[in-house]
Amino acid sequence: MRLASLPLAVSLLCACGSAPPAPSLASRPAATRGTPAAAPARPRLPKKDVPLAFDRGLWRLEGTLTLPAREEGERVPAVVIVHGSGPMSRDGVMRGQIGLGFGFEIPVYQRLAEALADRGYAVYRYDKRTCGQFNACADTGFTSLPYALLEVEFATTEYVRDAEAALDAVAARPEIDRERLFFAGHSEGGELVPVLLSDRPEVRAGIMLAPPFHTMAVVLEQQSERVRWSFTMAGQPERAEAEARELHAAAQALRHIERGTHLGAPILGQPPGLWESWIDLARQAPEIAENLDRPLLVLGGSYDYNVVPSEIETWAKWLDGSSRAPHRVRVLDCVTHALNCITQPDATRITQDDIGRDISPAVVAEVSRFLDAHASRARLTEAGR
């Protein structure tokens, strides 16, 4: 079994010329009289990736719009992917999860975009503002941005506005059906989805992939226990205690932020203002979600060490009493925080051969069914106007 900890911090044809006269109606075969001619089939366009960027304040965010195979002139539904925490690129590359390294990389958002495009959806993914030349898109703690600017430009509210600007950029494309728009957020991005739907009533539904329910103070405490267990099982007890203590200390510092008693020191290398903005939004998300008039799909995995299954189960209990929209909450067997599947049920015996190198088919199936149901409902509503 290979175990390793991961960083937390936290893209009209015209036929001219003469033609023979048309036959009179009386000379046409009886079967065709009064029957309109069938419209010629429109050309079929292949699936393709299109570069798409948008501007937000100081930032120009580059991205990729994956368009599905479609008829020429056809407008298709679209999904905007919202990143998890850290300096995530448009591809959402993950090498593992808390306490468990995979030994290879999975471009999670790229794979999700490809899978959904194969099912008829345009999918837009973009580089997060925390991923750029100033840090080589690496979670190393290095950045050329002034410390004071980080708290302003990397606040969670800015990620919300980025996602809304991304939606506007996608909706402006001639290939997109503006009546069938969706957000899909992962991890921290999943927590943003209720706020995004509340802000943007034109969005039909939202998908929350591995979203925490509680604030990061609780999540870091859960991660602390998972790290202690995983490294102990890997025969590294000293590392287990050291990393568990670091996470526990960070969780305690975040509780001071929640109480307004934090003295201002960085937490896990990040300015306290960044954590405060995330905490504020995390506190709002459950109540906003409960009062939404549009559906949410909340998915987590039984093998997720970053956002443990109990967080998803709490979402299920919370949304169970909501009568305004048909929400769906599921914990999927064997799925990790990177949305792949580990087939070995005994976590102490995992080998690389047990770790899936692509997104779990169960995740793709759940997301596709949810999108199909609500994209179809949107189309029927539009047709009935």
Side-chain angles (χ1 to χ4, degrees):
M1 177 169 106
R2 175 174 178 169
L3 296 170
S5 65
L6 297 177
L8 293 173
V10 322
S11 110
L12 182 53
L13 299 177
C14 176
C16 301
S18 61
S24 67
L25 181 62
S27 66
R28 296 176 189 170
T32 63
R33 294 177 186 175
T35 303
R42 291 185 288 182
R44 186 77 177 168
L45 303 176
K47 182 173 99 174
K48 68 174 182 178
D49 286 340
V50 178
L52 181 60
F54 61 94
D55 295 316
R56 265 276 296 138
L58 299 175
W59 310 90
R60 181 169 181 78
L61 302 179
E62 305 283 345
T64 299
L65 177 64
T66 302
L67 293 169
R70 66 207 183 282
E71 290 184 350
E72 189 177 75
E74 179 185 3
R75 290 178 178 266
V76 297
V79 179
V80 174
I81 296 178
V82 188
H83 325 72
S85 62
M88 300 293 286
S89 74
R90 73 191 74 180
D91 292 337
V93 175
M94 295 186 67
R95 300 170 181 83
Q97 59 183 7
I98 292 293
L100 176 61
F102 297 157
F104 54 86
E105 297 180 344
I106 301 178
V108 179
Y109 305 158
Q110 180 190 42
R111 297 285 175 81
L112 180 60
E114 293 288 333
L116 295 181
D118 288 341
R119 288 156 177 80
Y121 293 88
V123 183
Y124 184 53
R125 61 193 197 277
Y126 57 95
D127 296 333
K128 195 174 179 181
R129 64 170 52 210
T130 51
C131 169
Q133 293 182 350
F134 55 87
N135 65 355
C137 200
D139 196 4
T140 59
F142 169 78
T143 175
S144 59
L145 295 179
Y147 188 83
L149 190 62
L150 295 179
E151 290 191 311
V152 176
E153 294 296 330
F154 290 174
T156 305
T157 50
E158 294 303 310
Y159 305 150
V160 172
R161 303 297 169 250
D162 289 347
E164 293 181 355
L167 181 78
D168 291 336
V170 171
R173 296 282 305 194
E175 306 93 341
I176 303 305
D177 184 347
R178 299 184 184 185
E179 296 295 323
R180 295 186 290 169
L181 300 172
F182 302 88
F183 279 117
H186 177 239
S187 197
E188 179 188 17
E191 276 190 312
L192 306 188
V193 167
V195 176
L196 288 166
L197 263 64
S198 178
D199 288 349
R200 304 303 293 262
E202 73 272 28
V203 176
R204 289 288 175 171
I207 299 164
M208 303 167 68
L209 302 171
F213 180 88
H214 297 97
T215 66
M216 283 303 295
V218 175
V219 174
L220 288 182
E221 288 174 347
Q222 296 166 345
Q223 291 179 351
S224 173
E225 292 306 311
R226 176 54 60 179
V227 163
R228 176 179 285 108
W229 175 86
S230 61
F231 282 115
T232 299
M233 291 297 99
Q236 303 178 53
E238 293 182 0
R239 184 175 181 182
E241 289 303 315
E243 297 206 11
R245 281 197 303 268
E246 182 182 21
L247 290 173
H248 181 74
Q252 295 308 303
L254 292 184
R255 292 202 180 279
H256 280 291
I257 288 180
E258 292 177 359
R259 295 192 294 264
T261 57
H262 185 67
L263 298 179
I267 302 171
L268 295 178
Q270 302 297 324
L274 297 189
W275 294 103
E276 185 175 4
S277 66
W278 190 352
I279 288 169
D280 288 344
L281 185 137
R283 284 171 161 169
Q284 299 173 39
E287 184 175 354
I288 293 173
E290 185 180 30
N291 290 302
L292 281 174
D293 58 354
R294 281 150 294 148
L296 295 168
L297 171 65
V298 185
L299 293 181
S302 65
Y303 246 122
D304 192 335
Y305 293 174
N306 293 42
V307 179
V308 297
S310 62
E311 289 292 293
I312 310 303
E313 291 162 0
T314 305
W315 276 112
K317 294 175 183 177
W318 182 266
L319 293 176
D320 184 56
S322 175
S323 59
R324 302 199 66 193
H327 304 305
R328 180 175 175 82
V329 185
R330 291 291 182 274
V331 176
L332 301 178
D333 186 45
C334 84
V335 171
T336 77
H337 197 66
L339 308 183
N340 60 333
C341 174
I342 297 178
T343 57
Q344 170 56 259
D346 185 347
T348 66
R349 300 173 61 189
I350 297 171
T351 69
Q352 274 202 2
D353 291 339
D354 300 318
I355 304 174
R357 293 178 172 265
D358 205 345
I359 294 176
S360 165
V363 173
V364 176
E366 283 280 354
V367 172
S368 298
R369 279 195 295 266
F370 180 81
L371 289 173
D372 289 349
H374 298 293
S376 297
R377 179 178 300 172
R379 174 58 73 191
L380 290 171
T381 301
E382 182 182 3
R385 288 173 183 169

